[in-house]
Amino acid sequence: MMTLSNTCSLEVLTVIVGNYRIGRVLAHGGMATVYRGIYRPTGMPVAIKVLTEESSVDEVLVHRMHQEARIQNILGRQHSGIVTCYEEIEVDGRPAMVLEYVPGRSVLDIVEDDGVFEPLEAIDVVLATLDALSHAHHHGIVHRDVKGENILVTPQGAVKVTDFGVARAEVGGRNSRVTESRDLVGTMVYMAPEQLTSPRTVDHRADLYAVGVTLYEMLTGDVPFDGEEGYPLMKRIELEAPPDPRQFVPDLHECLVEVVFKSLEKDPDERYFSAGEMDAALRRCRKILTGAEDYDGPRPGENRRGEKTWYWEPSEPRPLPEPRSFGYLVDLSGNLMPGQILLRRAGLKIGRDPDRCDLIVPDDEVAAEHVLLLPLETGQVLLVDLLTDGQTTLNGEPVARAALEPGDEFELVGRWKFCFQR
């Protein structure tokens, strides 16, 4: 039987794999190739993403594909702005995933083929992107590779976000900007400064930085910081102020420039607190640009499928944690964003000092460094009270040091409550 490895250089050649007929290549990458496919029983068009032979023997990359499939299977069915994964299959013994086929082009392709976006068009695309990311953030998912290439626009103007959980390792042309590092996941020119220095502990605000870079690129045709990937580019992203987009588009309105600069702040605390806050700022800007009383486009929460998207059906597995993840915390107080915080190998320090803590609690009653969650190689997770003065309780009892079990609840100063889960 002819295998896909024999057909990668061909534009059109049909191969039957189970219920799917696989045809022409839609996109090439160093890690995977995406094919146009047909679900034979119904004739429904699909996209089939197949790992390369080299990637299929890499446990980390295989894990990331499984993670991407499970995340997009759940979130894609809940939210129409996220590309759905229908199922995982094998093609020639290699892991593959069957995705919703999205006709149209990526934002990057539109910029390269047609030129920059008009401000109102850019705002509308970014609003739809923020709506999808808001839903993902609500479920504790940080995309970490938001960029124009992963934002698809259909001929009808619908926007779809794709590529969750997988760092591409493409080589050549514009995709040479994609990092191949195991820890430094994403595309460097779109990375927030903290993603470069502490890639395992970034939160949803790194996605908002990447949205700001994408908006900058949509308006000007270029990213704020570009060049050969490496230490010099990393230091520029960390230290240099982004060029004013009005150098390229002189008549760009001040309100839109403010949104871009705020989203590109070096300090995550100086950026928008959530996708919803950035959404509100862009809507105010759109109102100024159009003179309209209001904008009736999709708002966060309005573009979701079904009435009860807030819960997980029992048959649906939760998304896999990242490699080296030891579980996650659920914020029971409801005041932090996102509501689920992944606990990685490096551990998690909770307090209110942004320079020394991984999770910042904005409360004067909480100490600068309050508690430490310390994963051990044995798989256990220790809760260590850095104060040892009774301000931390575990399941209602004061604690100085204890091993956490799934479902355990701990509380800081009687008001900030978290639940440990695996």
Side-chain angles (χ1 to χ4, degrees):
M1 177 181 175
M2 186 171 291
T3 64
L4 287 180
S5 59
N6 301 123
T7 70
C8 284
S9 62
L10 301 179
E11 285 301 313
V12 181
L13 185 58
T14 299
V15 177
I16 304 298
V17 177
N19 284 326
Y20 298 97
R21 182 166 64 247
I22 303 177
R24 65 185 176 87
V25 172
L26 294 176
H28 279 299
M31 194 199 79
T33 301
V34 181
Y35 298 87
R36 178 77 151 78
I38 294 291
Y39 181 59
R40 296 165 64 202
T42 63
M44 178 180 69
V46 294
I48 300 177
K49 184 174 183 178
V50 186
L51 283 183
T52 63
E53 291 185 11
E54 296 79 8
S55 298
S56 63
V57 297
D58 187 314
E59 291 183 1
V60 173
L61 297 181
V62 171
H63 177 97
R64 287 178 181 168
M65 172 165 273
H66 292 322
Q67 172 180 272
E68 179 183 20
R70 295 181 68 178
I71 289 174
Q72 290 188 217
N73 175 263
I74 294 170
L75 298 186
R77 286 189 285 154
Q78 294 177 341
H79 196 289
S80 61
I82 296 174
V83 173
T84 305
C85 173
Y86 298 123
E87 65 173 319
E88 293 186 81
I89 61 174
E90 279 196 2
V91 177
D92 293 340
R94 286 175 273 158
M97 51 194 290
V98 181
L99 298 166
E100 172 187 1
Y101 175 69
V102 181
R105 296 181 292 169
S106 71
V107 164
L108 181 60
D109 287 335
I110 294 173
V111 171
E112 291 188 340
D113 297 341
D114 302 341
V116 299
F117 282 70
E118 292 295 324
L120 289 177
E121 294 174 342
I123 289 174
D124 289 346
V125 171
V126 172
L127 285 174
T129 303
L130 289 170
D131 189 19
L133 291 175
S134 175
H135 183 74
H137 294 166
H138 176 72
H139 289 282
I141 303 298
V142 182
H143 192 291
R144 298 191 305 167
D145 198 19
V146 176
K147 55 184 178 180
E149 190 176 351
N150 292 335
I151 301 171
L152 309 177
V153 183
T154 71
Q156 294 75 32
V159 175
K160 298 270 190 177
V161 178
T162 189
D163 210 353
F164 280 77
V166 176
R168 293 188 176 181
E170 296 166 318
V171 179
R174 70 192 185 205
N175 294 322
S176 62
R177 301 187 300 191
V178 181
T179 178
E180 300 184 29
S181 167
R182 289 295 186 274
D183 293 327
L184 199 61
V185 177
T187 308
M188 185 174 286
V189 296
Y190 297 90
M191 284 185 182
E194 71 274 15
Q195 194 171 355
L196 296 169
T197 56
S198 303
R200 302 182 195 172
T201 57
V202 296
D203 61 16
H204 64 288
R205 293 171 295 181
D207 282 351
L208 302 185
Y209 181 96
V211 170
V213 175
T214 304
L215 177 58
Y216 190 107
E217 187 175 29
M218 294 169 71
L219 295 171
T220 67
D222 204 355
V223 293
F225 305 103
D226 204 353
E228 184 177 352
E229 183 178 295
Y231 184 76
L233 177 59
M234 183 183 297
K235 298 311 292 184
R236 288 184 61 203
I237 293 172
E238 288 184 54
L239 302 175
E240 289 186 16
D244 192 322
R246 286 170 294 193
Q247 295 179 15
F248 311 97
V249 188
D251 59 347
L252 202 60
H253 197 282
E254 179 68 26
C255 68
L256 198 50
V257 175
E258 290 178 2
V259 171
V260 170
F261 278 141
K262 186 171 178 63
S263 63
L264 296 181
E265 287 284 354
K266 307 295 184 186
D267 185 348
D269 291 334
E270 297 299 322
R271 289 180 217 139
Y272 294 105
F273 180 71
S274 66
E277 185 182 3
M278 187 173 180
D279 176 282
L282 281 171
R283 289 178 187 279
R284 287 193 295 270
C285 185
R286 196 183 198 286
K287 181 179 177 181
I288 293 172
L289 293 177
T290 61
E293 289 299 318
D294 202 358
Y295 172 51
D296 294 328
R299 295 180 180 274
E302 291 180 359
N303 200 25
R304 299 173 187 172
R305 297 172 179 165
E307 296 180 356
K308 295 184 178 180
T309 58
W310 48 268
Y311 77 81
W312 304 78
E313 296 178 11
S315 61
E316 293 180 340
R318 288 180 180 270
L320 286 172
E322 294 183 0
R324 305 176 183 173
S325 170
F326 282 75
Y328 60 93
L329 295 183
V330 179
D331 170 33
L332 299 181
S333 61
N335 293 317
L336 298 178
M337 183 71 183
Q340 292 183 0
I341 301 101
L342 281 178
L343 177 61
R344 298 174 175 85
R345 185 179 295 275
L348 188 71
K349 186 183 290 184
I350 305 177
R352 58 183 173 85
D353 188 326
D355 295 324
R356 291 181 290 176
C357 298
D358 306 294
L359 182 60
I360 311 302
V361 178
D363 188 334
D364 289 340
E365 296 298 319
V366 175
E369 298 183 36
H370 200 104
V371 299
L372 174 67
L373 300 185
L374 184 62
L376 305 179
E377 292 298 331
T378 60
Q380 282 187 308
V381 175
L382 295 183
L383 170 65
V384 181
D385 178 15
L386 300 176
L387 307 174
T388 64
D389 60 0
Q391 287 189 288
T392 304
T393 60
L394 177 62
N395 298 324
E397 298 293 330
V399 65
R401 184 186 185 95
L404 293 177
E405 297 292 337
D408 279 351
E409 297 180 359
F410 65 93
E411 194 170 40
L412 313 183
V413 299
R415 67 179 78 178
W416 294 89
K417 196 170 185 178
F418 301 89
C419 179
F420 172 70
Q421 296 287 355
R422 287 195 187 276

